[in-house]
């Protein structure tokens, strides 16, 4: 019974062809990264604005509740003043029919007490009115900020929709191309590429030699090792960062 060699594709390709394919795969994946980075920042901004708007709406609701409570408190104090005024009139009328000084003094004390209550209510009304004015100013400011943020959110959502519309087709094309290149390389190499790329800070698994140094970590590469890389006879990784190294000329050849 015939068996399938899992590395058959790798044996069919020369090392140079594999290096070019890996570099091409890296270029495609980097292009996908750029698209996702461009789009990736906007959803976060949209989410931040939505969270801020939710907070502002909650704050505005709380302010509306506090303003209502202050208005109710002012109305209650005004009613208390009216009640005290009625009681004063009642006590003053009763004083006209007292039978002795003790009753007169008692009614006088009740009258004075109600007058003090009225003064206290007036004082509280002034305090509530000042607090109400301050709350309304904050509420007006919050309302304006809320409207501004809603405008910002609409603009960001529109921008995100436009970018998604513009980049989605290109991203799908690049992802298809990435899959095609990956299928042409052995599974072993593709897995290694994905692993290196995942651990790399900038997503670069394949880098060129630039100015005698690794294009990923910028550590110097010995001249003999550079010659081995340029010969393209074997796959060489950077001894410092583990990235796959290719000579600078391979980029131009792949691009062509």
């Amino acid at each position: 019974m015939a068996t399938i060699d899992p590395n058959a594709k790798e044996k069919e390709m020369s090392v140079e062809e594999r290096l070019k394919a890996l570099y091409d795969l890296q270029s495609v994946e980097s292009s996908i990264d750029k698209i996702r980075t461009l789009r990736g920042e906007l959803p976060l901004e949209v989410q931040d604005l939505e969270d801020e708007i939710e907070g502002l709406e909650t704050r505005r609701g709380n302010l509306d509740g506090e303003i209502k409570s202050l208005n109710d408190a002012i109305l209650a104090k005004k009613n208390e003043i009216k009640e005290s005024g009625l009681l004063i009139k009642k006590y003053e009328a009763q004083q006209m029919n007292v039978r002795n000084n003790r009753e007169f003094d008692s009614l006088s004390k009740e009258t004075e007490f109600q007058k003090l209550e009225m003064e206290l209510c007036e004082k509280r009304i002034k305090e509530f009115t000042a607090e109400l004015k301050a709350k309304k100013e904050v509420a007006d400011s919050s309302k304006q900020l809320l409207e501004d943020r809603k405008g910002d959110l609409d603009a960001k959502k529109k921008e995100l929709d436009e970018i998604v519309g513009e980049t989605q087709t290109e991203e799908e094309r690049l992802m298809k191309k990435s899959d095609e290149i990956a299928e042409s390389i052995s599974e072993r190499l593709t897995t290694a590429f994905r692993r290196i790329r995942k651990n790399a800070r900038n997503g670069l698994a394949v880098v060129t030699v630039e100015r005698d140094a690794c294009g990923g970590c910028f550590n110097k590469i010995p001249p003999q090792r550079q010659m081995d890389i340029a010969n393209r006879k074997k796959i060489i990784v950077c001894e410092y960062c583990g990235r796959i190294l290719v000579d600078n000329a391979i980029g131009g050849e792949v691009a062509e």
Side-chain angles (χ1 to χ4, degrees), residues 108-245:
S108 294
K109 287 179 181 179
E110 288 293 340
T111 300
E112 287 300 318
F113 176 76
Q114 292 303 323
K115 286 180 179 179
L116 288 172
E117 284 291 302
M118 290 173 72
E119 289 178 7
L120 182 59
C121 285
E122 292 287 358
K123 182 182 177 183
R124 296 297 290 163
I125 287 172
K126 287 181 181 178
E127 291 172 355
F128 291 152
T129 301
E131 189 176 352
L132 181 63
K133 182 182 177 182
K135 292 287 184 186
K136 283 182 176 179
E137 288 176 354
V138 174
D140 290 341
S141 177
S142 296
K143 181 181 179 182
Q144 184 59 53
L145 182 59
L146 180 59
E147 289 175 358
D148 291 343
R149 289 295 177 268
K150 284 183 175 180
D152 293 340
L153 178 60
D154 289 340
K156 288 293 180 184
K157 281 185 172 180
K158 183 179 179 182
E159 185 180 353
L160 179 59
D161 290 342
E162 288 175 355
I163 289 176
V164 169
E166 292 171 358
T167 60
Q168 189 169 4
T169 301
E170 177 64 8
E171 183 182 5
E172 289 172 356
R173 185 189 71 79
L174 289 169
M175 289 176 68
K176 183 179 179 181
K177 184 176 180 181
S178 174
D179 291 340
E180 290 172 354
I181 297 171
E183 285 177 5
S184 71
I185 312 171
S186 72
E187 185 178 345
R188 180 179 64 84
L189 265 181
T190 305
T191 301
F193 171 85
R194 302 289 184 202
R195 184 182 67 252
I196 297 169
R197 192 171 131 74
K198 182 179 178 181
N199 294 328
R201 181 179 56 83
N202 51 11
L204 294 176
V206 182
V207 294
T208 57
V209 177
E210 302 284 348
R211 297 181 180 179
D212 302 327
C214 169
C217 65
F218 310 111
N219 278 293
K220 288 290 183 181
I221 300 172
Q224 181 57 50
R225 199 165 184 79
Q226 289 187 52
M227 288 181 63
D228 292 339
I229 294 167
N231 286 334
R232 307 175 189 174
K233 298 298 182 184
K234 57 183 177 180
I235 295 173
I236 298 173
V237 298
C238 175
E239 60 183 0
Y240 298 101
C241 67
R243 290 179 173 89
I244 298 169
L245 296 167

Side-chain angles (χ1 to χ4, degrees), residues 55-65 139 142-143 146 150:
L56 287 169
E57 287 177 337
T58 300
R59 185 187 182 193
R60 186 180 174 186
N62 292 336
L63 284 167
D64 288 344
S142 296
K143 181 181 179 182
L146 180 59
K150 284 183 175 180

